[in-house]
Every structure is written in structure tokens, then in C-alpha cells.
Amino acid sequence: GQPSIEVNLFDFDRDIYGSEIKVEWYKRLRSEKKFGSVDELVEQISRDKEEAIRFFRERKPAGI
């Protein structure tokens, strides 16, 4: 298959399933990882979110 990425949109609540969107790559947070439990996954997503928020606060890219 085709390579894929997962994109999380924070503080966004519109239904865009099936819509085409443009995604710009700024930073890779981590490699793919398997988790031993749903709780571990939820904790990692929380850490990823905090890292992404910190990245954009510190280096606000043009146009955002």
C-alpha cells in the first residue's frame, strides 16, 4: 500500500469526512509504535498533542 500519515485537528468540531483537505508537514513527532493497551495509546496521544502545541507556540509558521 500507499504510505499514510495520521493528522489530528485540535479544537475542531466540523464533520469533514470524505472532504479533501490540504496538509502541510512541519514536524514529525515520532515513528510508528505499537502500544500494550488503549491507556498507553491515550497517554502517548496526549504527549504528542502537547509537543505539537508547544512547537507551534514557539515557531508559529507563516499563514497559521
Side-chain angles (χ1 to χ4, degrees):
Q2 291 283 331
S4 64
I5 63 171
E6 179 176 328
V7 176
N8 290 290
L9 304 174
F10 307 129
D11 301 322
F12 186 86
D13 64 356
R14 290 183 35 212
D15 182 2
I16 58 171
Y17 283 95
S19 300
E20 187 172 312
I21 64 169
K22 178 181 177 181
V23 176
E24 293 189 35
W25 188 293
Y26 290 98
K27 179 182 179 183
R28 180 179 183 159
L29 295 180
R30 62 179 167 83
S31 296
E32 185 175 355
K33 180 179 177 181
K34 294 197 181 256
F35 295 94
S37 69
V38 172
D39 289 338
E40 288 178 17
L41 171 61
V42 169
E43 288 174 20
Q44 182 64 57
I45 290 171
S46 179
R47 287 191 297 270
D48 292 347
K49 179 179 178 180
E50 290 305 314
E51 183 177 348
I53 290 169
R54 186 172 37 259
F55 174 83
F56 283 105
R57 277 193 189 131
E58 294 172 359
R59 301 167 192 90
K60 187 172 182 180
I64 293 188

